[in-house]
Amino acid sequence: MRQRGLGLIIMALMLGMLLAALDQTIVSTALPTIVGDLGGLERLSWVVTGYMLASTVSTPLWGKLGDQFGRKRLFIGAIVIFLIGSALCGLSQSMDQLIAFRALQGLGGGGLMVLAQAIVGDVVSARDRGKYQGWFGGVFAVSSIVGPLLGGLFVDHLSWHWVFYINLPLGVIALVVIIVVLPGDDTRTAHKIDYAGVVLLGAATSCLVLIATWGGTTYAWSSPVIIGLAVAALVLLVAWGFVERRAAEPVMPLGLFKLRAFSMTATVGFVVGFGMFGALTYLPLYLQTVHGVSPTLSGVHLLPMMAGMLLMSIVSGQIISRTGRYRFLPIAGTGIATVGMGLLSTLSEHSSLLTLGVCLLVLGIGLGMTMQVLVIIVQNAVEFKDLGVATSGATFFRMIGGSFGVATLGSVFASTLNADLARVMATTTLPAGFDPAQIQQDPTVIQKLPPEVAADFLHVYASSIATVFRVATPVMFVAFLLSWLIPEKRLRETTKASDLGQGLGATSAERSSLAEVERGLVRLADADLRRGYYDRLGALAGLDGIPSQGVWVIARLGGEGWVRADALAERAEVTRAEGRPYVDQLIAAGLVERSPDDESLRLTPAGDAAAQALLRHSRDGLKKLVADWGSCPGLEELLDKLTPELLGAHADRPG
């Protein structure tokens, strides 16, 4: 594939993933304005939860359907669904409509995130794949940072509808590029898709989230609706367990829960998602209602939390890679996050924005030390056959935890707010003609009340949001206690190559076990090939006296026959004159020969033997990196495929 075409494809894939990832966070700063326009403060949480549930539960289907029917057509379908959902969200005239269309948008968003990462493996060479994986991880980092800020900008300068409309022109660009430039994928992998498992798990989760949303607010805990939902959730979970035991490719093998490392990290991840998305959803309401800041500035004030998460995710990955130790990180991280939650629970209408920033930074540092590490722990604990599904499972529980966090904390907020507002309204004289219902429908109207009247209502809102964090603090403390139960084992080499995207609240890439090992192997090789690799490889192959540039040329010519000198120089990004001394040295050593017209090069029999030695030693090096997986199906074939792709590539030419 030509480099220009590849660049367009990568940009389109990254754009599609960026849109899907942004929609996890971009609505947070727009929610107060949306509630003011559409009403339905008690259902605010479902604007976030609807998207997260749909994207999370659908990801296993998108990944396997893409394998089975072709990723290009499935990616196109995901874009179309996402764009239709975005347009309908922007056109919504009620909160119920918005929630329903957010679920449709989330269905497409799950496909965008899963398939974009899978398509990269189809169109990018193994040698360059590590770089692009890093870029895609950066997409999640960017979306986490700028999502709340962009949501505020659109609300301030356009309208909340543009939080969704902005997806349309950008999504259409991605759609056109994918249709025109991305080649069709003829490879197919047959799957026995666990449709029943996905449907039952999604339905059970939805029932539980509805209980968390409605219980004690819309309906009494003893009401037939709540009891019915509880019974339905129990029946669905039992049926799901029954189905998973018999499924050929279960969406979540039940045997994973017998592993203490998986069950503990799943629980801790659930709580971390609970805290992260709960904070992102309700803090903009505090900022815009209590402090009267604009939606844009409310996004700015969330930056300390997001920056702390990003920084510590990167630092934690580096610590694990260099030391091989990981258990202390989630213990310290959940402990710090508990402190952060506790600090947020002390917020009042008199708390300064600087105080809020410090609290958010503490919370972000704690979450950042925990999220990415949990995925690494799971990958290191399971057997090869469960690696892929366990990795996606770790991300699944974090996202489901986010859904529960938003719903549960929303229920706490609504019940506390309603009770306190009723008390204040009964004792406060409101201005003539002022409708008390407006305060619940549009919190920003409080700023228009006389100061002495507004103060009581600001206290109510600040107290209700502080109560949210008072509830979240002991929940996070439970995660701290559970993190002590996470065992530590010797870290596998490929597990050290962490994926930043999976540590920032992103949907899992839904890779197979073999693809997960390949991802780690490519990332490790990518780093190794930049550090004097050809000098070391040449010494192992007995090419004494041949500089690294000459070793690269031998590796590049291996198995190629005649290669035009211009093409070789272009690949090495040098002129023919600059490369000639190295080629002349190889010719003098009897390893390379020139064509009579001086335009082409090829290896001599001695050069072929040297190239084979390079290939063999390179493969041995890769084999050492996967040796801790033992003898697993497909690993030998993977090494045979990757070794020639990694050697002599454009990206690792010596300087």
Side-chain angles (χ1 to χ4, degrees):
M1 184 180 297
R2 295 179 60 184
Q3 194 67 25
R4 184 175 181 182
L6 176 61
L8 286 173
I9 292 171
I10 294 297
M11 284 191 291
L13 294 175
M14 291 179 67
L15 183 58
M17 181 182 283
L18 177 64
L19 294 177
L22 275 175
D23 269 79
Q24 292 179 346
T25 57
I26 196 172
V27 300
S28 60
T29 45
L31 284 176
T33 305
I34 292 173
V35 169
D37 190 10
L38 300 181
L41 179 64
E42 72 282 356
R43 298 192 299 281
L44 172 148
S45 62
W46 273 93
V47 178
V48 177
T49 301
Y51 183 90
M52 291 174 61
L53 270 180
S55 62
T56 303
V57 174
S58 67
T59 50
L61 284 179
W62 283 115
K64 290 184 177 178
L65 288 173
D67 290 343
Q68 192 155 315
F69 299 108
R71 296 189 183 98
K72 178 177 179 178
R73 65 179 68 181
L74 264 293
F75 192 73
I76 291 171
I79 295 178
V80 171
I81 293 172
F82 183 79
L83 292 180
I84 292 173
S86 297
L88 292 173
C89 284
L91 294 170
S92 296
Q93 299 299 307
S94 70
M95 187 64 83
D96 290 335
Q97 289 181 8
L98 179 59
I99 291 168
F101 298 144
R102 279 285 284 171
L104 178 64
Q105 190 190 31
L107 179 64
L112 290 180
M113 288 191 277
V114 170
L115 294 169
Q117 296 175 81
I119 291 172
V120 169
D122 295 335
V123 300
V124 176
S125 68
R127 177 61 187 89
D128 293 323
R129 210 168 294 154
K131 173 179 67 176
Y132 290 115
Q133 286 171 353
W135 289 7
F136 278 80
V139 167
F140 288 112
V142 169
S143 67
S144 299
I145 294 290
V146 306
L149 184 60
L150 284 177
L153 284 170
F154 288 134
V155 169
D156 279 339
H157 299 288
L158 295 169
S159 73
W160 68 262
H161 303 274
W162 277 94
V163 170
F164 306 107
Y165 288 153
I166 189 61
N167 294 331
L168 302 180
L170 299 178
V172 167
I173 292 172
L175 180 63
V176 171
V177 171
I178 292 299
I179 292 174
V180 175
V181 183
L182 181 66
D185 179 18
D186 296 328
T187 60
R188 298 289 185 271
T189 302
H191 289 287
K192 293 183 178 179
I193 299 175
D194 184 16
Y195 292 108
V198 172
V199 172
L200 289 170
L201 183 59
T205 304
S206 299
C207 287
L208 292 171
V209 173
L210 283 171
I211 292 172
T213 305
W214 289 343
T217 53
T218 307
Y219 301 99
W221 287 106
S222 58
S223 69
V225 172
I226 298 300
I227 294 174
L229 284 171
V231 172
L234 179 61
V235 171
L236 289 166
L237 286 172
V238 171
W240 174 72
F242 181 81
V243 167
E244 294 304 274
R245 290 181 186 279
R246 289 157 177 78
E249 297 182 38
V251 65
M252 187 83 63
L254 298 182
L256 287 176
F257 294 97
K258 296 178 182 178
L259 292 174
R260 192 174 73 183
F262 181 83
S263 57
M264 289 299 102
T265 52
T267 306
V268 173
F270 180 93
V271 177
V272 166
F274 187 105
M276 171 186 169
F277 287 102
L280 280 176
T281 301
Y282 294 101
L283 281 171
L285 189 63
Y286 168 80
L287 285 160
Q288 293 177 40
T289 301
V290 177
H291 284 278
V293 305
S294 67
T296 301
L297 283 179
S298 69
V300 171
H301 289 300
L302 290 176
L303 288 179
M305 173 181 167
M306 310 312 295
M309 285 170 49
L310 176 60
L311 175 64
M312 291 312 299
S313 290
I314 296 171
V315 170
S316 297
Q318 291 294 320
I319 290 173
I320 292 173
S321 177
R322 294 179 182 180
T323 67
R325 306 299 297 273
Y326 55 81
R327 182 172 176 265
F328 72 96
L329 286 166
I331 294 173
T334 50
I336 293 172
T338 301
V339 172
M341 285 289 187
L343 292 172
L344 288 170
S345 72
T346 66
L347 292 176
S348 71
E349 66 273 26
H350 304 298
S351 300
S352 69
L353 293 175
L354 176 61
T355 299
L356 175 64
V358 172
C359 297
L360 287 175
L361 179 62
V362 173
L363 178 62
I365 289 173
L367 295 177
M369 293 176 69
T370 307
M371 290 195 298
Q372 180 166 275
V373 182
L374 296 178
V375 178
I376 293 174
I377 292 170
V378 166
Q379 290 178 329
N380 198 56
V382 300
E383 297 179 7
F384 175 80
K385 65 182 179 65
D386 293 324
L387 176 60
V389 70
T391 302
S392 60
T395 311
F396 172 86
F397 278 102
R398 184 172 66 240
M399 299 303 291
I400 292 298
S403 300
F404 271 86
V406 174
T408 303
L409 297 179
S411 179
V412 170
F413 171 73
S415 60
T416 305
L417 180 68
N418 291 338
D420 289 350
L421 281 179
R423 176 179 50 78
V424 171
M425 288 179 184
T427 58
T428 302
T429 302
L430 297 175
F434 184 83
D435 182 5
Q438 284 184 280
I439 295 177
Q440 287 177 295
Q441 294 296 318
D442 182 6
T444 59
V445 301
I446 296 174
Q447 302 292 336
K448 301 174 184 178
L449 292 171
E452 64 277 6
V453 177
D456 290 335
F457 290 105
L458 291 179
H459 175 74
V460 166
Y461 267 90
S463 176
S464 298
I465 292 171
T467 301
V468 165
F469 293 105
R470 279 196 289 273
V471 171
T473 300
V475 175
M476 188 65 73
F477 183 70
V478 170
F480 168 70
L481 296 178
L482 291 175
S483 65
W484 286 89
L485 300 177
I486 296 175
E488 185 162 48
K489 298 169 57 179
R490 180 181 176 277
L491 198 65
R492 292 186 173 109
E493 291 297 320
T494 54
T495 306
K496 294 179 181 179
S498 55
D499 188 333
L500 182 62
Q502 289 183 340
L504 289 172
T507 299
S508 170
E510 290 294 319
R511 302 181 183 96
S512 67
S513 295
L514 196 62
E516 277 293 343
V517 172
E518 180 180 352
R519 179 201 62 81
L521 195 57
V522 167
R523 293 289 289 272
L524 291 173
D526 179 61
D528 196 33
L529 285 162
R530 293 195 298 264
R531 296 195 293 258
Y533 182 76
Y534 285 92
D535 287 325
R536 301 194 304 274
L537 191 61
L540 289 171
L543 295 174
D544 299 323
I546 303 297
S548 59
Q549 292 88 345
V551 176
W552 183 87
V553 170
I554 294 173
R556 184 75 199 106
L557 294 177
E560 293 289 337
W562 287 106
V563 174
R564 291 190 57 81
D566 289 338
L568 185 64
E570 181 180 354
R571 189 173 185 87
E573 292 191 349
V574 297
T575 64
R576 286 185 63 178
E578 290 171 329
R580 182 175 288 272
Y582 303 110
V583 173
D584 287 342
Q585 184 179 17
L586 295 175
I587 292 173
L591 300 171
V592 172
E593 61 180 330
R594 280 197 179 95
S595 62
D597 61 3
D598 197 33
E599 293 299 319
S600 300
L601 303 167
R602 73 175 178 186
L603 295 176
T604 64
D608 275 326
Q612 289 300 314
L614 293 175
L615 200 64
R616 184 172 62 255
H617 287 292
S618 180
R619 188 185 188 282
D620 289 343
L622 294 179
K623 188 171 183 177
K624 291 178 182 177
L625 295 176
V626 298
D628 44 26
W629 286 107
S631 178
C632 300
L635 278 184
E636 293 295 328
E637 292 83 356
L638 176 64
L639 294 175
D640 290 337
K641 182 189 79 169
L642 284 182
T643 304
E645 289 186 41
L646 293 173
L647 276 184
H650 166 82
D652 57 67
R653 64 206 180 283

